[in-house]
Amino acid sequence: MRPQIDAAIKRVLDSGWYLLGPELEAMESEWAEWCGASHAVGMSNGLDALHLILRAWDIGPGDEVIVPSNTYIASWLGVTMAGATPVPVEPEWDTCCIDPAQIEAAITLRTKAIMPVHLYGHACDMNAIMSIARRHGLKVIEDAAQAHGAEVDGKRVGSHGDAIAWSFYPSKNLGALGDAGAVTTNDMQTASKLKMLRNYGSAVRYVNDVPGYNNRLEEIHAAVLREKIKVLDAWNERREVLVNRYQEAFAETDLTLPVVRPGTRHAWHLYTIRHPNRDAIRAHLELAGIGTLIHYPIPPHRQKAYESLGLFHEAFPIAEKIHAETLSLPLGPHLSLDSQERVIEAVLEAIKML
């Protein structure tokens, strides 16, 4: 996409407008339409999007937010940045997403919101989660940092919950040239509050209505994202083709393969396999010159950053097992079939050696 990206950057440079300008306005409109939401608000990154949503809802000290025990730490950090307390709930073993059946047991008088994370690109069971939230009068904030294009019942993730936080980190299905993010919502009041909070608490220049932050999405990122939105569907379809090849190749092995819940569409941000001898498989691939990543090696409840919560590691056996066994194989619209075949052959060789 070099020609389109070069043209987008030139457009910004020629305009001389670098913040809160026409590229951002257009990108917000186009992203909201793509997601099926009424509003989109550009943010500096996905973590700030999570944080400011909670701020916009006045969720803070003394409040609790239900989060998955199995997620990247940013989900928890968004909660603690707002001054609230994350309350972890175990995931489903097959999808790795938060288990709705365990959410209600974690609700207390201090609970103010539920934060499902569409991990690896698999959409959470939003129908069940929204039903629980409505029964208990709770807000739902979706962490969709990995779910650009995921669907529930034919409807794209981006408008199911009360607000949805997005990351446009460069490696995402939709990535900027650096850190960038957004929020989508159907609530005009939430969108208006977020626009103030991201810009020093100001809706009118030099008039500050609330104590705000500097969390703006820059014009140059917005311009590039506008070009990439145009090809996002095609790139996601390419990911599906590659995933289907992986699934077929590994179907008869003892690997735990990713699943797709009926009624959902996976965005396939990551292709994660699981195996008790994960480290041996990874070492064999490394010797073959194939890069892999572990998403994620340490669950949030084991991180030193959250020692103060006093969480018992034994209380999260499913998250512990997932983090000990998961391995992400190469995946992306750029991956050639020949390169993927090398990966498949190396994985099969590694399994035979175990």
Side-chain angles (χ1 to χ4, degrees), residues 114-125:
I114 304 171
M115 183 189 291
V117 179
H118 304 300
L119 198 65
Y120 312 143
H122 191 295
C124 296
D125 188 347

Side-chain angles (χ1 to χ4, degrees), residues 231-249:
V231 298
L232 182 53
D233 281 322
W235 283 3
N236 282 347
E237 289 170 6
R238 171 67 178 177
R239 288 175 182 269
E240 285 186 330
V241 169
L242 295 168
V243 166
N244 289 337
R245 283 168 54 87
Y246 274 142
Q247 295 285 79
E248 183 178 352

Side-chain angles (χ1 to χ4, degrees), residues 250 252-257 273-275 281 329 347-348 351:
F250 302 144
E252 302 303 320
T253 70
D254 62 346
L255 295 171
T256 299
L257 303 181
I273 58 175
R274 280 179 277 165
H275 196 279
I281 295 173
L329 300 183
V347 171
L348 294 177
I351 293 173

Side-chain angles (χ1 to χ4, degrees), residues 29 31 47-48 58 61-62 78 81 85 107 111 124 136 142 146 151 161 165 188 193 196 199 213 234 280 350:
S29 176
W31 183 238
L47 174 56
D48 290 331
D58 296 320
M81 283 175 68
T85 301
I107 295 174
T111 306
C124 296
H136 293 271
E142 298 175 61
Q146 301 180 2
E151 296 180 4
M188 182 180 294
K193 186 74 174 289
M196 283 196 296
N199 186 39
Y213 307 85

Side-chain angles (χ1 to χ4, degrees), residues 68-216:
S69 59
N70 177 50
T71 185
Y72 181 53
I73 198 170
S75 308
W76 289 36
L77 289 173
V79 176
T80 51
M81 283 175 68
T85 301
V87 176
V89 166
E90 283 275 78
E92 302 167 321
W93 171 247
D94 54 353
T95 69
C96 298
C97 293
I98 192 169
D99 186 353
Q102 299 192 49
I103 289 177
E104 284 193 280
I107 295 174
T108 72
L109 294 176
R110 294 186 175 183
T111 306
K112 294 296 187 294
I114 304 171
M115 183 189 291
V117 179
H118 304 300
L119 198 65
Y120 312 143
H122 191 295
C124 296
D125 188 347
M126 291 308 301
N127 293 327
I129 292 170
M130 293 304 297
S131 177
I132 293 168
R134 295 302 176 247
R135 283 202 304 273
H136 293 271
L138 304 175
K139 292 282 194 179
V140 174
I141 169 176
E142 298 175 61
D143 183 338
Q146 301 180 2
H148 313 74
E151 296 180 4
V152 177
D153 296 333
K155 182 180 177 182
R156 279 180 177 151
V157 164
S159 62
H160 291 85
D162 297 295
I164 298 85
W166 300 93
S167 169
F168 301 131
Y169 182 77
S171 65
K172 303 298 186 184
N173 292 36
L174 179 63
L177 297 183
D179 279 320
V183 174
T184 51
T185 180
N186 290 326
D187 182 61
M188 182 180 294
Q189 184 176 354
T190 296
S192 297
K193 186 74 174 289
L194 288 168
K195 287 183 178 181
M196 283 196 296
L197 287 171
R198 75 176 177 186
N199 186 39
Y200 299 101
S202 173
V204 178
R205 195 169 190 176
Y206 301 133
V207 177
N208 304 82
D209 297 314
V210 296
Y213 307 85
N214 179 4
N215 294 145
R216 301 170 296 205

Side-chain angles (χ1 to χ4, degrees), residues 270-342:
L270 299 174
Y271 181 78
T272 56
I273 58 175
R274 280 179 277 165
H275 196 279
N277 292 320
R278 181 266 313 277
D279 293 339
I281 295 173
R282 190 183 192 203
H284 182 80
L285 292 176
E286 185 177 355
L287 287 174
I290 296 170
T292 60
L293 282 174
I294 299 173
H295 295 90
Y296 299 94
I298 307 173
H301 64 267
R302 279 192 176 270
Q303 296 284 5
K304 188 176 180 180
Y306 286 108
E307 281 182 344
S308 61
L309 293 181
L311 297 170
F312 293 102
H313 300 168
E314 295 78 10
F316 309 103
I318 300 177
E320 293 262 330
K321 188 171 176 61
I322 289 173
H323 283 253
E325 296 186 358
T326 191
L327 183 67
S328 299
L329 300 183
L331 179 67
H334 61 283
L335 185 66
S336 71
L337 297 184
D338 288 342
S339 293
Q340 187 186 28
E341 194 59 37
R342 283 186 56 216

